[in-house]
Amino acid sequence: MAVPLHTTGKASFDDIYDRPDPRDYYARMSDLDYRIPELAKPVFQQQIREYRASARVSTPTVLDLGCSYGVNAALLRFDTTMPELAEHYRTADGDRAALIARDREVLGARDGLGDVRFLGMDASAPALAYAQQSGLLHDTVCADLESGEPTEEQRELLATADIIISTGCIGYVTEKTLTRVATAHPRRRPWMAHFVLRMFDFAPIAADLAALGYRTEQAPGLFEQRRFASAAEQDQVLNTLSAKGIDTTDRETEGWLYAGLYLSRPLPKHHADTEDQH
């Protein structure tokens, strides 16, 4: 089946985000060698360690934007890999309830980050429901903050975030979402770590974050996201990158999407006081 293109130029996988469990999601991502969450894992682990040391918070809260079925939480909490997760779901028998029970059992035995609280935000209610009911996420926000402000209840939950992470949603979401999340708490700003495809310009987001008291740095190096889903997607992305003057030699020309890492932290006056954490 031909993979349709999203308006961003990326392949659209909307059809696998509405399933009641993540088996189809991992199968599709495995076919494309989707690896950015695994490459991001040590970065997020380091952010958690540094935040805990800096803010003296024993149980930091991590908010994953575009979390789908809780992929980043699963990688971090199970201390596993993308191929292992794909195999975990490929071999799963039974219905959704049985799969949820299986995940909760594994999580109970293997949770390597029991001292971290995980939140997820996504526009897919089925994906969020699975991630929360399986225990991968402690709480969720189902919202599209590109189109409007969060509700008061959503704002209160977003305001508890200490670190915001993402591995593929920037481009689908813009500075509108990032600033609404960043300002959910009236007096403090969360840290951020975003992996962003090279076809998307992070500068407008960085500029808006700077106005909120952030300093943003791009980390050295590039990260393989996944293989192109089709020749049409590759052509579209190569054209987009060429128009931006970005050299794709030995990168996207070889069949892979590549992302950069952007780290945004509030300047000292915007740091949270420990007593004002949650």
Side-chain angles (χ1 to χ4, degrees):
M1 182 181 68
V3 179
L5 295 184
H6 187 267
T7 54
T8 60
K10 285 173 58 181
S12 174
F13 301 108
D14 290 350
D15 61 309
I16 57 172
Y17 292 111
D18 289 336
R19 308 295 170 86
D21 67 61
R23 283 176 279 204
D24 290 339
Y25 170 87
Y26 279 104
R28 184 82 62 86
M29 293 298 104
S30 178
D31 288 343
L32 297 174
D33 288 327
Y34 183 59
R35 59 184 58 177
I36 194 71
E38 187 173 338
L39 298 176
K41 178 181 163 184
V43 173
F44 297 155
Q45 290 170 325
Q46 181 68 17
Q47 295 298 301
I48 291 168
R49 286 192 296 268
E50 291 183 10
Y51 188 91
R52 185 178 275 129
S54 171
R56 302 184 299 279
V57 176
S58 59
T59 307
T61 296
V62 175
L63 169 63
D64 185 6
L65 298 183
C67 64
S68 67
Y69 294 92
V71 179
N72 286 315
L75 284 167
L76 289 162
R77 299 181 69 186
F78 289 157
D79 194 17
T80 188
T81 66
M82 286 299 290
E84 287 172 348
L85 274 179
E87 183 66 8
H88 169 76
Y89 288 107
R90 187 189 69 80
T91 59
D93 295 322
D95 59 10
R96 179 178 183 274
L99 194 57
I100 285 174
R102 183 190 190 209
D103 279 357
R104 294 188 74 91
E105 180 181 0
V106 173
L107 191 60
R110 291 175 51 184
D111 190 357
L113 284 177
D115 55 354
V116 177
R117 179 169 167 258
F118 284 91
L119 306 179
M121 190 178 92
D122 204 282
S124 171
L128 289 177
Y130 184 90
Q132 186 168 3
Q133 290 167 25
S134 65
L136 291 172
L137 298 177
H138 297 93
D139 216 331
T140 60
V141 174
C142 187
D144 173 9
L145 299 189
E146 289 295 294
S147 60
E149 297 285 342
T151 66
E152 191 56 39
E153 182 180 4
Q154 290 171 340
R155 191 187 307 276
E156 289 178 4
L157 191 56
L158 295 171
T160 66
D162 297 309
I163 306 170
I164 297 173
I165 64 174
S166 72
T167 53
C169 77
I170 304 299
Y172 294 107
V173 304
T174 69
E175 58 271 19
K176 294 178 182 178
T177 292
L178 268 292
T179 55
R180 283 166 174 160
V181 173
T183 58
H185 193 291
R187 293 182 300 280
R188 68 180 184 92
R189 302 286 183 252
W191 291 15
M192 296 190 186
H194 300 292
F195 286 82
V196 184
L197 287 173
R198 297 211 294 167
M199 62 189 291
F200 299 124
D201 185 4
F202 197 74
I205 293 176
D208 278 18
L209 292 179
L212 298 176
Y214 280 89
R215 175 187 291 117
T216 295
E217 296 181 354
Q218 182 174 3
L222 294 172
F223 302 82
E224 294 172 335
Q225 177 120 340
R226 61 166 169 81
R227 295 187 184 279
F228 285 108
S230 66
E233 182 187 33
Q234 183 175 15
D235 288 344
Q236 181 69 40
V237 171
L238 288 174
N239 288 338
T240 298
L241 292 172
S242 176
K244 293 176 179 290
I246 297 173
D247 183 7
T248 59
T249 306
D250 296 328
R251 298 292 186 179
E252 289 82 1
T253 55
E254 299 305 303
W256 288 85
L257 286 156
Y258 278 85
L261 168 61
Y262 295 84
L263 300 172
S264 300
R265 293 187 180 180
L267 296 169
K269 68 177 181 178
H270 296 279
H271 283 176
D273 296 328
T274 52
E275 68 269 17
D276 195 28
Q277 283 293 306
H278 303 299

